[in-house]
Amino acid sequence: MAVDASSSSSSAKRPAYHLATELVHIDSDAVKDNYNAASVPIYQTATFKQQDADGSGGQYDYSRSGNPTRTAVEVHMAKIMSAERAFVVSTGMTALDVILRLVKTGQEIIAGDDLYGGTNRLLTYVSQFNGVKVHNVDTTDPAKVAEKLDPIKTRLVLLESPTNPMIKIADIRTIADKVHDICPTALVVVDNTMMSPYLQNTLEMGVDIEYHSGTKYLSGHHDLMAGVIGCRTKEVGDLLYFVINASGSGLGPLDSWLLLRGVKTLGIRMEKQQSNAIQIADFLEAQGLKVHYPGLKSNPQYELHKSLSSGPGAVLSFETGDVGLSERIVESARLWGISVSFGCVNSLISMPCKMSHASIPAEIRKQRQLPEDLIRLCVGIEHVEDLINDLSNALEIAGISVKRPVNN
């Protein structure tokens, strides 16, 4: 992914590097540093001194509007997301909140019927208090999305692919083309958190806005809260920046620095986590469990996902057929921490209907066919044999006869 380095001492563009390389190398022109620090400095300041009485002449004046450390991570994220402009804000949900500020009363949003619980909660609020109509449809079928498109009223089409927690795949390219053809003023938005920019670039598929919970794979250690927004055009970028500046939702200097540090190791972390996840999905499928994971060739959306992404990622879910059985499995695991969220270096296990998606009313979960017994695994970087052995023990304690893999 090449970046124009015309602002450097050489006027020639530098070579195009693989994304794994781009992740590690920060463009030195993003922040002017008189001391040539090897690591981007943390500008832990609220205000910046000015030279002129009218306050003009300085690139920065107040950290709500901009901060050099934040600029560094935003420039870096724009590069790896192929975005015209990128922004970092306080949380992933703040990122979505900023985007939803672009929707006016009387306009409509089309979203999936398998969404992160926090996304569903915020869309419900917007629907109830802002006079915005929200349509929840099966986004795995582009025709279902097209049915709800209105050239006048549709403002946003919000997608997850894969979805959380059922790991369903949306044909992002086809949907983006349909939306832009029927509703030229509508924006296609994708929550790309589960794939990360390392495995999937939706802006290159025609999406207008891609956002992430930086708390997940981008930081990788669950030691900060952050949201990232990337946009395809300057016009959309200007609208988003106005909201961020006006609301004061930009990410602070220390968290910006932590996010920038985490992103550098995204490639190596994701490769290991994904490798582990593929083997764990194979193991669970061999036990006769219903596994939701696009890396399995038995998955009906295997080829579609492969056409969109460079890998299946490191989040999967499976069904046991019994809520009590699932509870025993989750509580019997030792290496797998019971926790919400994903993308951390250590492995996590949870029952979405009792944790991350508990805010969705039970009747709506049933209507959307979200299994109460569903277990979500967020695979870390531990040795895969230890993870499989721990899962095997948990399954056996819960009462499942396990076919253990034979180690060569």
Side-chain angles (χ1 to χ4, degrees):
M1 194 177 299
V3 178
D4 189 344
S6 58
S7 58
S8 65
S9 57
S10 172
S11 61
K13 292 183 179 180
R14 63 175 173 78
Y17 299 117
H18 290 89
L19 183 53
T21 302
E22 294 284 14
L23 288 167
V24 176
H25 292 275
I26 310 298
D27 291 335
S28 59
D29 292 318
V31 173
K32 304 298 182 184
D33 174 31
N34 294 331
Y35 302 101
N36 297 315
S39 175
V40 172
I42 304 171
Y43 288 85
Q44 192 65 46
T45 182
T47 61
F48 299 83
K49 295 179 181 179
Q50 306 299 309
Q51 298 297 320
D52 301 322
D54 63 0
S56 64
Q59 183 178 355
Y60 301 96
D61 59 357
Y62 193 51
S63 279
R64 173 169 54 79
S65 302
N67 179 283
T69 313
R70 189 194 307 159
T71 296
V73 69
E74 289 181 337
V75 169
H76 193 55
M77 290 308 307
K79 177 182 70 171
I80 66 175
M81 294 172 72
S82 298
E84 175 66 25
R85 193 171 180 184
F87 307 95
V88 291
V89 293
S90 56
T91 70
M93 290 311 304
T94 302
L96 179 57
D97 182 60
V98 166
I99 295 165
L100 293 181
R101 302 292 184 99
L102 305 184
V103 184
K104 299 177 182 178
T105 298
Q107 294 183 320
E108 298 183 354
I109 298 171
I110 301 171
D113 59 0
D114 180 30
L115 295 168
Y116 166 55
T119 299
N120 185 83
R121 179 168 51 234
L122 187 54
L123 289 175
T124 299
Y125 180 91
V126 167
S127 176
Q128 292 177 346
F129 293 95
N130 292 9
V132 173
K133 176 69 175 179
V134 178
H135 302 281
N136 293 103
V137 302
D138 180 3
T139 53
T140 64
D141 184 353
K144 295 289 181 64
V145 177
E147 287 175 4
K148 297 296 183 181
L149 290 174
D150 184 302
I152 305 300
K153 294 182 179 180
T154 302
R155 178 54 172 161
L156 290 185
V157 176
L158 177 60
L159 306 172
E160 291 182 11
S161 187
T163 61
N164 179 14
M166 293 299 290
I167 323 296
K168 298 177 182 178
I169 311 303
D171 189 341
I172 298 172
R173 288 193 185 92
T174 297
I175 292 174
D177 288 344
K178 281 182 178 291
V179 173
H180 292 142
D181 182 49
I182 298 173
C183 307
T185 61
L187 299 173
V188 180
V189 180
V190 173
D191 178 350
N192 198 33
T193 302
M194 195 174 289
M195 285 288 96
S196 85
Y198 186 71
L199 295 179
Q200 183 169 267
N201 188 313
T202 68
L203 296 178
E204 293 181 348
M205 301 179 199
V207 167
D208 298 292
I209 302 173
E210 173 181 313
Y211 74 99
H212 298 258
S213 169
T215 311
K216 314 296 193 296
Y217 288 112
L218 294 175
S219 68
H221 297 81
H222 284 183
D223 53 8
L224 80 148
M225 303 287 286
V228 177
I229 310 171
C231 55
R232 193 162 53 91
T233 66
K234 178 183 182 301
E235 291 74 19
V236 172
D238 290 343
L239 292 173
L240 293 170
Y241 175 73
F242 182 88
V243 175
I244 293 168
N245 183 41
S247 63
S249 55
L251 195 63
L254 178 57
D255 284 342
S256 294
W257 184 86
L258 285 170
L259 180 60
L260 188 62
R261 182 178 67 168
V263 168
K264 293 180 181 179
T265 60
L266 172 63
I268 193 168
R269 285 187 282 105
M270 184 59 84
E271 291 285 1
K272 175 60 175 173
Q273 288 171 279
Q274 178 173 260
S275 174
N276 284 351
I278 291 171
Q279 296 178 69
I280 289 166
D282 287 337
F283 162 74
L284 291 171
E285 189 172 55
Q287 311 308 315
L289 297 164
K290 185 176 182 180
V291 183
H292 304 278
Y293 184 61
L296 291 171
K297 291 186 177 180
S298 59
N299 189 307
Q301 295 185 296
Y302 174 83
E303 291 297 337
L304 173 59
H305 182 77
K306 190 175 179 181
S307 72
L308 300 171
S309 308
S310 60
V315 179
L316 59 105
S317 59
F318 66 96
E319 300 173 47
T320 66
D322 181 84
V323 173
L325 179 59
S326 294
E327 290 175 344
R328 292 195 296 275
I329 293 170
V330 170
E331 292 172 355
S332 298
R334 292 294 173 264
L335 280 178
W336 299 79
I338 303 175
S339 178
V340 296
S341 199
F342 57 86
C344 187
V345 290
N346 54 287
S347 296
L348 305 175
I349 189 170
S350 67
M351 293 180 66
C353 289
K354 293 183 176 294
M355 297 180 70
S356 58
H357 292 65
S359 62
I360 301 176
E363 62 272 15
I364 295 179
R365 295 200 302 265
K366 184 177 181 179
Q367 176 186 335
R368 296 179 183 177
Q369 298 181 318
L370 181 57
E372 297 291 322
D373 63 298
L374 190 73
I375 295 176
R376 189 182 71 179
L377 299 180
C378 308
V379 184
I381 66 172
E382 301 95 335
H383 197 291
V384 69
E385 288 184 10
D386 293 329
L387 292 174
I388 290 177
N389 285 337
D390 192 59
L391 271 180
S392 297
N393 291 335
L395 292 171
E396 288 180 336
I397 292 171
I400 295 177
S401 179
V402 175
K403 303 173 185 174
R404 289 182 177 264
V406 177
N407 298 325
N408 295 324

